């Protein structure tokens, strides 16, 4: 909004360039209480810089702020508190939102540069569990936020389609599998075989030797091994695509681990050329100063995750020319990514500066990590189906005549699951609770979706004329809604800078609350002379809620 840019410019000039405009904008706050103003700039960090007290600096800045949208400015306890002319600002904000609707909050931080996002990445021949949900929805939201900020995105699903687990599955299928049973329900049957293998291997270690032998055969191109691997992979991708369709998520690339099999030798050769490889107990490693050595090739000559990820990073830079490359992978892989980025830096690749591990906490069940190996998982597809069924029950109870009930139930059910994840800061672990996930009141996706539907209904009832000029809105109750609308671009910027979708999730809840309080205290449609002006505020709320939900990967039903 222009008033904020004006305040930033005045502060910037007052500080004689000691802070950048971006730093100043980042420091601007929304005061906790109304009596403290509408914008606040804290001066405490500037005291050392200028060798003056925070209060003296605040007084100096406050004396320079003049603007037709500013009512008054106060310097209080080291803060510059700016009070806005609420009637003028209200109309400016509403007009700005209504003019641009979906484009409101668009930023040009990215300037058309490419961001690759590596996320979701489930393992072939294993079910898509709740444990995979976090990477999937966080990565998707970050891609949408990046696009909102002017980046071009490449969404990569780095499928886990290689490794010794395939040796285990091939052995299990050859010993206990039946083709007919597997074709009826591939993923469920493959999970059974995988769990059964581990149960048996605890008492018969020779099974692990057989698994290693079969994986070696797969690597060498054995026809039977290759045929089973291809079958398991195709069946898995079909099952995954059903889940992604329900969640409304798409990818630009499904290049998994196997794709890089013929690209790893080049990396090993490069490391040898640069004299970075050392032998350690028969294996080849890259020694690193402050980290454990990065293992590149095992004693038996086979490569590892690090080799594969180095090959993937080089491939992505050469093919996509990324400015930033984000890996949305759990906290437990932090060391792996520190090693990966450090090795790339030692190889002389400047572009590695744009690479970042977007870590997140685990989805826990009864306080413990879910384990496919032990069969202790919760299937995402079953949770989605249960959420949709509960949404349908609510619709049938409260609005049985609703049009397109099945579609609305799907949007609300999947929205409840996605929102429940994204409202938590990504670094926190989440305890799996179906009850909490499917709650439809409080800080939930359905609450925000219902608020959007309520706004849509008001616009229809009031016959809102979007493109007409409306008399300014003067309801004092509208101010909390207006200030929320004003901060939307800032929220998007923070979500982008911190790779944190929870900023947007919390924001749409707060905007919904502010709007519902306004709706509860002002009879929007009663006064014909004010109706269209009030509906212009309602339209702004609807537009921003819809865009906020979209950035989280949720649909915004018109009716509920």
């Amino acid at each position: 909004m222009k008033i904020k840019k004006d305040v930033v410019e005045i502060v910037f000039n007052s500080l004689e360039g000691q802070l950048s405009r971006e730093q100043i904008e980042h420091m601007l706050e929304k005061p906790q209480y109304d009596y403290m103003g509408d914008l606040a700039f804290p001066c405490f960090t500037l005291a050392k810089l200028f060798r003056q007290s925070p209060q003296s600096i605040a007084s100096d800045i406050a004396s320079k702020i003049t603007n037709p949208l500013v009512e008054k400015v106060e310097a209080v306890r080291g803060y510059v508190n700016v009070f806005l002319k609420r009637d003028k600002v209200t109309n400016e904000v509403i007009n700005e939102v209504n003019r641009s609707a979906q484009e409101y909050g668009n930023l040009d931080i990215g300037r058309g540069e490419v961001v690759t996002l590596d996320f979701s990445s489930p393992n072939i021949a294993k079910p898509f569990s709740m444990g995979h949900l976090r990477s999937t929805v966080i990565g998707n939201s970050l891609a949408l936020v990046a696009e909102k900020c002017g980046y071009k995105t490449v969404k990569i699903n780095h499928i886990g389609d290689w490794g010794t687990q395939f040796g285990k599955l091939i052995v299990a299928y050859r010993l206990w599998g039946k083709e007919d049973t597997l074709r009826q329900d591939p993923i469920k049957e493959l999970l059974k075989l995988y769990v059964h293998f581990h149960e048996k291997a605890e008492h018969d270690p020779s099974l692990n030797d057989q698994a290693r032998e079969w994986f070696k055969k797969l690597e060498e191109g054995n026809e039977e091994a290759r045929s089973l691997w291809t079958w398991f992979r195709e069946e898995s991708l079909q099952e995954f695509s059903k889940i992604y369709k329900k969640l409304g998520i798409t990818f630009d690339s499904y290049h998994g681990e196997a794709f890089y099999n013929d690209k790893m030798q080049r990396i090993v050769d490069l490391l040898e050329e640069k004299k970075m490889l050392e032998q350690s107990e028969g294996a080849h490693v890259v020694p690193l100063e402050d980290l454990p050595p990065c293992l590149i090739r095992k004693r038996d000559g086979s490569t590892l995750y690090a080799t594969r990820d180095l090959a993937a990073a080089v491939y992505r830079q050469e093919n996509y020319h990324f400015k930033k490359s984000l890996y949305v992978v759990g906290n437990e892989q932090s060391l792996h990514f520190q090693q990966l980025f450090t090795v790339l830096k030692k190889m002389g690749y400047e572009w590695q500066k744009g690479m970042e591990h977007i870590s997140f906490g685990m989805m826990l069940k009864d306080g413990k990590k879910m384990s496919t190996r032990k069969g202790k998982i919760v299937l995402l597809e079953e949770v989605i189906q249960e959420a949709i069924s509960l949404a349908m029950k609510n619709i049938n109870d409260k609005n049985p005549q609703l049009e397109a009930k099945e579609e609305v139930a799907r949007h609300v059910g999947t929205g409840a699951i996605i929102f429940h994840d994204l409202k938590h800061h990504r670094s926190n672990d989440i305890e799996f609770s179906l009850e909490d996930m499917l709650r439809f009141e409080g800080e939930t996706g359905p609450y925000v979706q219902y608020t959007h539907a309520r706004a849509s209904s008001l616009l229809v009832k009031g016959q809102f004329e979007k493109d007409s000029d409306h008399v300014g809105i003067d309801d004092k109750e509208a101010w909390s809604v207006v200030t929320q609308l004003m901060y939307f671009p800032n929220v998007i910027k923070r979500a982008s800078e911190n790779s944190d979708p929870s900023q947007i999730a919390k924001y749409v809840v707060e905007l919904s609350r502010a709007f519902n309080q306004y709706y509860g205290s002002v009879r929007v449609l009663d006064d014909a002379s004010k109706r269209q002006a009030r509906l212009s505020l309602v339209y702004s709320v609807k537009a921003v809620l819809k865009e906020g939900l979209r950035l989280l990967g949720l649909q915004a039903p018109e009716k509920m």
Side-chain angles (χ1 to χ4, degrees), residues 267-278 285-287 346-347:
I267 297 299
V268 176
D269 293 344
L270 278 168
L271 291 170
E272 283 177 339
E273 271 175 40
K274 293 173 185 288
K275 296 183 169 46
M276 289 170 62
L277 277 186
E278 288 185 9
V285 303
V286 176
K346 285 187 77 169
M347 291 175 81

Side-chain angles (χ1 to χ4, degrees), residues 389-421:
S389 298
L390 183 64
M392 181 59 84
K393 182 180 180 300
N394 280 356
I395 290 168
N396 286 330
D397 289 346
K398 295 174 182 176
N399 191 4
Q401 304 308 313
L402 181 69
E403 297 166 22
K405 284 196 288 189
E406 289 78 10
E407 184 182 74
V408 174
R410 191 172 72 252
H411 291 162
V412 173
T414 54
I417 293 166
I418 296 169
F419 196 92
H420 179 268
D421 191 301

Side-chain angles (χ1 to χ4, degrees), residues 271-471:
L271 291 170
E272 283 177 339
E273 271 175 40
K274 293 173 185 288
K275 296 183 169 46
M276 289 170 62
L277 277 186
E278 288 185 9
Q279 278 213 8
S280 174
E281 298 176 14
H284 284 90
V285 303
V286 176
L288 304 172
E289 282 179 24
D290 302 318
L291 297 166
C294 183
L295 189 54
I296 298 296
R297 193 158 52 186
K298 287 186 193 171
R299 191 182 303 173
D300 63 5
S302 59
T303 49
L304 293 104
Y305 281 125
T307 332
R308 215 170 283 276
D309 277 351
L310 288 166
V314 172
Y315 174 86
R316 290 169 188 176
Q317 175 57 218
E318 288 175 351
N319 283 272
Y320 304 126
H321 312 291
F322 61 76
K323 178 78 171 176
K324 290 166 71 177
S325 184
L326 309 183
Y327 293 80
V328 188
V329 183
N331 290 334
E332 64 271 21
Q333 294 295 320
S334 291
L335 175 60
H336 167 74
F337 285 107
Q338 285 175 47
Q339 291 175 313
L340 176 69
F341 301 157
T342 306
V343 172
L344 287 166
K345 185 179 181 181
K346 285 187 77 169
M347 291 175 81
Y349 292 125
E350 280 292 310
W351 45 261
Q352 65 79 33
K353 290 176 185 171
M355 300 175 77
E356 191 179 349
H357 173 208
I358 309 300
S359 60
F360 56 86
M362 291 184 286
M363 180 77 76
L364 305 174
K365 189 169 189 293
D366 304 321
K368 294 177 184 173
K369 184 181 178 181
M370 296 180 186
S371 169
T372 313
R373 187 174 294 188
K374 295 176 181 174
K376 291 182 179 175
I377 58 169
V378 178
L379 299 184
L380 179 56
E381 190 167 21
E382 291 176 5
V383 175
I384 290 173
Q385 202 45 57
E386 194 153 347
I388 292 170
S389 298
L390 183 64
M392 181 59 84
K393 182 180 180 300
N394 280 356
I395 290 168
N396 286 330
D397 289 346
K398 295 174 182 176
N399 191 4
Q401 304 308 313
L402 181 69
E403 297 166 22
K405 284 196 288 189
E406 289 78 10
E407 184 182 74
V408 174
R410 191 172 72 252
H411 291 162
V412 173
T414 54
I417 293 166
I418 296 169
F419 196 92
H420 179 268
D421 191 301
L422 295 181
K423 74 178 181 182
H424 296 94
H425 189 278
R426 59 181 167 78
S427 63
N428 299 332
D429 291 340
I430 300 178
E431 178 66 35
F432 172 75
S433 164
L434 200 58
E435 188 184 344
D436 287 347
M437 200 168 279
L438 304 185
R439 194 167 280 140
F440 282 61
E441 60 281 328
E443 294 181 3
T444 67
Y447 170 70
V448 179
Q449 288 172 317
Y450 179 74
T451 304
H452 173 271
R454 169 179 274 175
S456 300
S457 174
L458 271 174
L459 294 170
V460 172
K461 281 182 189 170
Q463 297 179 317
F464 177 56
E465 299 159 9
K466 179 181 179 297
D467 297 320
S468 302
D469 291 328
H470 304 305
V471 179

Side-chain angles (χ1 to χ4, degrees), residues 5 8-9 12-13 17 19-28 493:
K5 287 178 182 170
V8 167
E9 199 60 36
F12 176 76
N13 291 327
L19 291 179
S20 69
R21 290 176 178 85
E22 289 75 20
Q23 287 172 307
I24 294 164
E25 189 175 351
H26 197 71
M27 289 169 71
L28 271 180
K493 192 176 181 190

